[in-house]
Structure formats: C-alpha cells, structure tokens
Amino acid sequence: MALQQYEVDYRILTDAELNAWRKIPPAVASDCMNRTQVMTSSIKPISPGKPICGQARTVTTMVGDCWPICIMISEARAGEVIVVDAGGAVEIAVWGGIMTAEAVYRRLGGAVVHGAIRDITEMREAGFAMYCSAATPKGPHQGFGGVMDGPAAVGGVPVRSGDIVLGDDDGVVVVPLEMAGTVLAAAQAHLAKEEAWVREIKSGAPIPALFKMKTPDTILPALK
C-alpha cells in the first residue's frame, strides 16, 4: 500500500498564543466546547506531570507500521505534536526509542498515539512527552503504508494538522484551529470563574449553595 501525504496550509500559532494555551487545562478547554473533543480515556501520558501543548501533525498508519510516523518525525516543525491513529492496536508498538531520539533532536512538542509504543524508559529519560494507549516490547514493521497530514480520527476525536493538542494527567483534548480564539477566550473566563468559586468555598460557602443546586425531596418515613 502507498504512503500518501495531503498538502496542508494552516496558520502557525505565535509563541504568545501557545504560551496562553499552556495555561489552559484540557478539562477546561473541553468544558468550553460543550464537553466534547476528548480522546478515549485509555490514552494517557507515560510520565505523570508532563503536559503537552502544540499544533498537531496527523498520521494514520496501518496496524504495526512505523513508516509514516518516521517520515513525519523528520518533517514536523519544532514544537509540533505528532498525533497518530494506529488503529488502537495494543499488541504491537509503532513508536520506539530510536524514533524518540530524532523527535527530541528536532525539538518536537510530543506525541499522541492511539495504539502501543515501546522503550518507555528511554522516553522518560529523554523527557519526551508521549501519550499512548499501551506499551509492549513487540516492535513494528515498515512499509505497509498510511496517510500523513490527512483528517484523522484519533481516540474517537477528529483531528487535523494545525489543530491544538492539549494533554495532562487527565488525558488529551483537541481544539479545532478555527475555534482557537473563541475557545481560548472562553477558557480564560472559565478559569477566572473557577478561581472565584474556590475563594468562596474557602470562605465557607457550600457547593450546593454556590451552584444553586436543587435541594433533595423529603421522603416521609414508611408506615409500620
């Protein structure tokens, strides 16, 4: 099967824009998108406390094939996040230590793999931000084919090259690039609101009163 690559032309975010996004937790970004755009909960960081924030470069690969990913590692810009649809297969790795060495050398922003990886110890020692579904010693093949920079479905979420990828210990959220300004403003306002809520809680306000929750209905004791 052939390896194909889409021609893409997306707006590259400025350092100031990316710095603003780094302050937005994935959970808040999702809340501001009607609690959508969240990848399946099986995709988690290999290193707790290692957040991820950058623009996506998408790869859809045949199960167990690292070829398209290797090409993308060599082409991606510094800071970009490689987002891989590997079919969710967890018994064969599509990313390993040698690929990580080049990704670190090229200063990529990290990777999200809906599938398996290996050589986790090397990745942790290198400080590489890797999010994945599983790990296995079984290595990949090369040459089956795939698609680079095409629209992808990764962990149940649509992703296109240029979209914003946010990850932390909770998991991964994708913000469509065309919604970036709207979602960022909403997320910043939401964080300010959460800070106000926490201040009120620390002043003694109970959560039910704070959120104006309905009180439970009273049930009379059963007759004996």
Side-chain angles (χ1 to χ4, degrees), residues 50-147:
K50 190 74 175 176
I52 200 168
C53 176
Q55 290 185 267
R57 294 297 295 274
T58 62
V59 177
T60 300
T61 186
M62 300 293 287
V63 170
D65 188 6
C66 70
W67 176 30
I69 308 171
C70 291
I71 300 295
M72 182 58 83
I73 290 172
S74 70
E75 292 188 2
R77 299 177 182 89
E80 290 185 323
V81 177
I82 297 181
V83 181
V84 181
D85 172 17
V90 297
E91 299 303 333
I92 182 167
V94 294
W95 189 306
I98 301 300
M99 298 160 72
T100 299
E102 182 174 2
V104 170
Y105 171 76
R106 297 187 180 280
R107 297 183 293 112
L108 302 189
V112 178
V113 178
H114 187 203
I117 64 162
R118 69 178 188 175
D119 304 323
I120 282 182
T121 299
E122 293 178 37
M123 294 181 193
R124 287 173 175 160
E125 290 175 350
F128 187 66
M130 168 61 76
Y131 288 60
C132 62
S133 304
T136 176
K138 188 175 183 179
H141 299 285
Q142 300 174 15
F144 293 150
V147 178

Side-chain angles (χ1 to χ4, degrees), residues 8-209:
V8 290
D9 182 18
Y10 54 87
R11 185 174 73 86
I12 299 173
L13 299 181
T14 65
D15 289 341
E17 288 174 306
L18 284 171
N19 285 335
W21 276 110
R22 289 187 180 100
K23 300 175 184 177
I24 307 299
V28 171
S30 174
D31 284 353
C32 295
M33 294 184 289
N34 203 26
R35 305 189 187 231
T36 62
Q37 294 296 111
V38 180
M39 289 189 183
T40 179
S41 60
S42 67
I43 299 176
K44 287 291 191 288
I46 63 168
S47 301
K50 190 74 175 176
I52 200 168
C53 176
Q55 290 185 267
R57 294 297 295 274
T58 62
V59 177
T60 300
T61 186
M62 300 293 287
V63 170
D65 188 6
C66 70
W67 176 30
I69 308 171
C70 291
I71 300 295
M72 182 58 83
I73 290 172
S74 70
E75 292 188 2
R77 299 177 182 89
E80 290 185 323
V81 177
I82 297 181
V83 181
V84 181
D85 172 17
V90 297
E91 299 303 333
I92 182 167
V94 294
W95 189 306
I98 301 300
M99 298 160 72
T100 299
E102 182 174 2
V104 170
Y105 171 76
R106 297 187 180 280
R107 297 183 293 112
L108 302 189
V112 178
V113 178
H114 187 203
I117 64 162
R118 69 178 188 175
D119 304 323
I120 282 182
T121 299
E122 293 178 37
M123 294 181 193
R124 287 173 175 160
E125 290 175 350
F128 187 66
M130 168 61 76
Y131 288 60
C132 62
S133 304
T136 176
K138 188 175 183 179
H141 299 285
Q142 300 174 15
F144 293 150
V147 178
M148 301 162 56
D149 284 324
V154 183
V157 174
V159 191
R160 296 166 303 170
S161 289
D163 287 346
I164 302 162
V165 183
L166 303 174
D168 65 11
D169 290 354
D170 288 344
V172 180
V173 166
V174 178
V175 180
L177 183 58
E178 67 273 16
M179 296 174 61
T182 301
V183 175
L184 178 60
Q188 290 169 333
H190 189 85
L191 285 175
K193 186 164 54 176
E194 285 189 346
E195 290 174 1
W197 290 337
V198 171
R199 285 195 298 270
E200 291 190 53
I201 289 170
K202 289 181 177 180
S203 296
I207 289 175

